[in-house]
Amino acid sequence: MEALRAQEKAKARQRRTLGIGAAVLVVLLAVGGILWATLGSSKSSSSTAGGAFCGNVASGSPSNKQWPQPPAMSIDTKATYTATLKTSCGDVGLKLDATHAPKTVNNFVFLAQQGFFDHSHCHRLTTAGIYVLQCGDPTATGTGSPGYKFDDEYLNDPAIQGGTYPAGTLAMANSGPNTNGSQFFLVYKDSQLSANYTPFGTITSGLDILNHIARDGSDNSNGQGDGKPNDNVVINSVAVAK
């Protein structure tokens, strides 16, 4: 009889132990499930938010038009011209300086009206030393052009003579003196650059968009805060107004 009682007690203890173990397992699984769902949701939300920021990409591809020489002067140098870069990340407003950089503004207006910039990627973002987003190359390689080159202008602009291109500056990119074509850059933070790049306008709206793109970073392909933007920055179209 005593032996049977001992066996029953042992079985009871075993059942209690198994019950407690099962309860602990259920709790652990529940907590794990909550953590997994939270992490998954956070990752999904982050991915969705990042994709949504520059997710408005219009269908189409760059025209890659080419011309043998710069366009003839057709703008009114005494008028005020504005432009809106309609990008996949939002609109960026520009005021063009036709008074001090007439050839450059004339070129930009011409290319915009020809749809040259449409569906082109902004191919370069710098986030160290200089702080610019570079666009205007239909090939997105940094070597594209409209087929011609033209001279620099307004390099005596007091704003850049001290070696600083202020935040909000719109300027031409080049590969040396008098090699302007279609590529330009948008300065989102004061940048130390020699006065070799024609300033031809200012950013009037959308600086917050550029800073968001900058925060998302680049692929840093040269290891110095310089590379392709992580965001898919596409110029869907450019609207110019006089």
Side-chain angles (χ1 to χ4, degrees):
M1 184 68 79
E2 291 300 326
L4 288 175
R5 288 197 190 97
Q7 288 179 0
E8 289 298 326
K9 289 181 180 180
K11 289 180 180 179
R13 284 196 299 271
Q14 187 177 25
R15 285 195 294 269
R16 284 196 298 272
T17 302
L18 290 174
I20 293 170
V24 171
L25 179 61
V26 168
V27 171
L28 289 174
L29 288 173
V31 171
I34 291 170
L35 289 173
W36 177 262
T38 301
L39 291 172
S41 175
S42 174
K43 183 177 180 181
S44 175
S45 297
S46 175
S47 176
T48 301
F53 177 62
C54 290
N56 184 29
V57 180
S59 60
S61 56
S63 66
N64 292 304
K65 293 180 181 178
Q66 298 283 283
W67 293 268
Q69 58 189 18
M73 183 64 65
S74 61
I75 64 167
D76 180 356
T77 58
K78 296 180 180 180
T80 298
Y81 288 84
T82 60
T84 303
L85 302 180
K86 297 182 176 295
T87 82
S88 57
C89 313
D91 291 355
V92 177
L94 307 171
K95 181 179 179 181
L96 307 180
D97 188 356
T99 300
H100 295 102
K103 289 186 294 186
T104 308
V105 171
N106 183 70
N107 178 72
F108 185 86
V109 170
F110 169 77
L111 292 176
Q113 292 175 338
Q114 291 292 320
F116 182 84
F117 299 121
D118 296 2
H119 311 297
S120 62
H121 286 75
C122 292
H123 61 281
R124 182 185 183 194
L125 175 69
T126 60
T127 57
I130 60 174
Y131 307 93
V132 307
L133 177 67
Q134 189 167 327
C135 314
D137 177 1
T139 70
T141 63
T143 61
S145 78
Y148 57 78
K149 299 175 182 178
F150 64 95
D151 293 345
D152 300 321
E153 292 181 292
Y154 200 34
L155 297 184
N156 61 344
D157 178 359
I160 66 172
Q161 277 300 301
T164 298
Y165 280 67
T169 300
L170 169 67
M172 291 298 290
N174 61 49
S175 57
N178 304 316
T179 59
N180 300 290
S182 60
Q183 294 187 46
F184 59 91
F185 59 87
L186 303 151
V187 184
Y188 61 88
K189 180 179 176 181
D190 289 0
S191 297
Q192 300 303 307
L193 284 165
S194 57
N196 295 330
Y197 308 93
T198 298
F200 67 103
T202 54
I203 301 167
T204 56
S205 64
L207 200 56
D208 57 329
I209 292 172
L210 298 177
N211 278 291
H212 190 144
I213 293 168
R215 286 194 299 272
D216 288 346
S218 75
D219 65 6
N220 196 22
S221 55
N222 75 348
Q224 299 177 359
D226 186 348
K228 178 183 176 182
N230 287 329
D231 287 323
N232 187 26
V233 189
V234 179
I235 297 178
N236 292 327
S237 64
V238 180
V240 175
K242 178 181 176 183

